[in-house]
Amino acid sequence: MSGSTWGVKIVRVALLMALVLVAASCGVGQQPSQGGGGGGGPKKICMMPKLVGIPYFNASEKGAEEAAKDLDVELVYDGPTEAKAALQSQMIEQWIQQQCGAISVAANDPDALAPAMKKAEDAGIKTSSWDADVAKDAREVFVNQATFEAIGYELVDVMAEQTDGKGKFLVVTGSLTAPNQVAWLKEMRERMKEKYPEMSIASVEPGEEDLQLGIDITKNYLRANPDTAGVFGITSVALPGAAEAVEQEGLEGEVAVTGLSTPNDMKPYLESGAVEKFVLWNPVDLGYLAVHVANAQIEGNMPKSGTFEAGRLGKVEMIAEDEVLLGPPLVFSQDNIDEYDF
């Protein structure tokens, strides 16, 4: 072999080694290192409530942290201080840049959050919603606390017990666009139409998750409409606001009040007689389940039917290929309220 041939071979080997080193430094052939866990690093789940700082979502955070600890995943639980969809979208955009393996949101508006959630999915981030859904094509899974029908029907049944299935009612909601509240209202109207034809919703007023605003709305409405049989407060802030308004107006026992809220917030109103019963699910368990679902998405273990294994909750039902159901709603009264602390 001539010296010139050896020289050519040496140059070729050197070039090949250089290419291998460049490929390795660029991560060619390696798994992505995003917080989704593919690179073997800690899995990062970013979870957003409608807003922070209210007892309901504080309870959900407690359950989410419990699940994150059990699963040994990193949890970022944060949200806006006001129930505004625009603020949620901004936070999702920030999370896309922060290596979240999964983003799970409780939407203030299903359509307004859709562009940001689709952008997250395009970036390879697993997406889900919990408590309040986003548009179906903007997330992979919805973690539903209870079916809309079950909640709407239970609210009306509880109110009917106290009003003999008759009367006109005020509904104080959070916002007029929150998807879960819109769906509950639809089911409430259906229940009245089918089972209690002498019941009707006379007005729906947005309380904007502001306690004082909910109190003022309820008081002003009751003064203007003294024939009102009852008030539904269908958020965890709207219900204590409605109950407080009835108490301040001295209408306990005359105007029935029920809705959705947390046991700790409602105990004083059960004791005063302003409220006899109210409805909810367990928000601690909801947060716990949402983290288990996000973790299963990251690991590629999310089933499409049957049941989903969620730690201490055991097997929970898949009611659609993209929807997990926590369970039926709970009815709270003086008989059982001391069993719950959230």
Side-chain angles (χ1 to χ4, degrees):
M1 190 173 290
S2 69
S4 61
T5 303
W6 274 109
V8 169
K9 282 201 168 188
I10 290 169
V11 170
R12 284 177 178 170
V13 169
L15 285 171
L16 180 60
M17 291 181 67
L19 287 171
V20 169
L21 290 171
V22 169
S25 68
C26 291
V28 176
Q30 296 178 343
Q31 295 297 314
S33 60
Q34 190 178 41
K43 288 174 285 188
K44 186 174 179 179
I45 295 173
C46 298
M47 184 172 173
M48 188 186 303
K50 289 178 180 172
L51 73 166
V52 294
I54 64 173
Y56 174 80
F57 286 119
N58 291 345
S60 296
E61 181 179 12
K62 181 180 177 183
E65 289 176 343
E66 178 191 355
K69 184 178 180 182
D70 290 349
L71 296 167
D72 192 25
V73 300
E74 179 183 354
L75 174 70
V76 176
Y77 186 96
D78 200 3
T81 55
E82 298 176 84
K84 304 291 186 184
L87 298 176
Q88 289 189 300
S89 293
Q90 291 175 15
M91 188 166 285
I92 293 169
E93 295 279 354
Q94 294 168 4
W95 280 354
I96 292 171
Q97 307 301 320
Q98 294 176 12
Q99 301 291 296
C100 296
I103 293 178
S104 188
V105 300
N108 283 304
D109 186 303
D111 297 321
L113 296 191
M117 290 294 280
K118 288 179 179 178
K119 188 174 178 180
E121 189 170 356
D122 290 343
I125 298 170
K126 299 299 180 183
T127 57
S128 62
S129 56
W130 61 284
D131 184 72
D133 203 2
V134 295
K136 285 176 70 69
D137 63 348
R139 50 73 176 159
E140 297 168 48
V141 184
F142 173 43
V143 182
N144 195 350
Q145 56 269 52
T147 65
F148 298 133
E149 180 183 277
I151 294 171
Y153 280 27
E154 194 69 69
L155 286 170
V156 172
D157 288 347
V158 167
M159 183 65 86
E161 284 180 23
Q162 301 171 59
T163 61
D164 296 325
K166 301 175 182 176
K168 296 178 180 179
F169 300 88
L170 166 68
V171 177
V172 182
T173 185
S175 73
L176 298 178
T177 58
N180 51 354
Q181 293 154 30
V182 171
W184 295 332
L185 274 167
K186 177 178 177 292
E187 299 297 341
M188 289 167 67
R189 289 191 170 98
E190 286 292 324
R191 186 63 163 177
M192 289 180 184
K193 181 180 176 182
E194 292 177 3
K195 190 170 182 179
Y196 310 104
E198 295 183 71
M199 294 178 75
S200 64
I201 295 174
S203 183
V204 179
E205 302 290 340
E208 304 293 351
E209 302 292 12
D210 183 309
L211 180 63
Q212 188 57 53
L213 180 59
I215 294 170
D216 293 342
I217 285 173
T218 306
K219 287 170 68 173
N220 292 336
Y221 186 87
L222 293 177
R223 288 171 185 173
N225 300 275
D227 61 337
T228 301
V231 183
F232 292 93
I234 63 170
T235 80
S236 63
V237 178
L239 178 55
E244 179 65 29
V246 165
E247 233 181 52
Q248 290 183 12
E249 294 295 293
L251 295 172
E252 302 99 317
E254 296 180 36
V255 174
V257 180
T258 193
L260 304 167
S261 195
T262 57
N264 288 348
D265 276 348
M266 296 311 297
K267 279 180 183 176
Y269 301 108
L270 287 178
E271 292 170 357
S272 73
V275 175
E276 288 186 14
K277 295 180 179 180
F278 64 98
V279 181
L280 197 65
W281 47 93
N282 189 328
V284 178
D285 289 347
L286 181 62
Y288 181 88
L289 177 58
V291 168
H292 269 271
V293 167
N295 183 65
Q297 287 181 279
I298 292 173
E299 295 190 336
N301 295 329
M302 197 64 213
K304 296 292 185 183
S305 62
T307 57
F308 171 71
E309 192 76 32
R312 65 169 171 76
L313 297 179
K315 294 179 179 178
V316 296
E317 186 182 2
M318 296 288 302
I319 57 173
E321 68 175 15
D322 61 350
E323 187 169 344
V324 184
L325 181 68
L326 177 63
L330 299 172
V331 177
F332 299 90
S333 68
Q334 286 280 24
D335 294 335
N336 67 354
I337 197 165
D338 289 333
E339 298 172 17
Y340 301 92
D341 183 19
F342 58 84

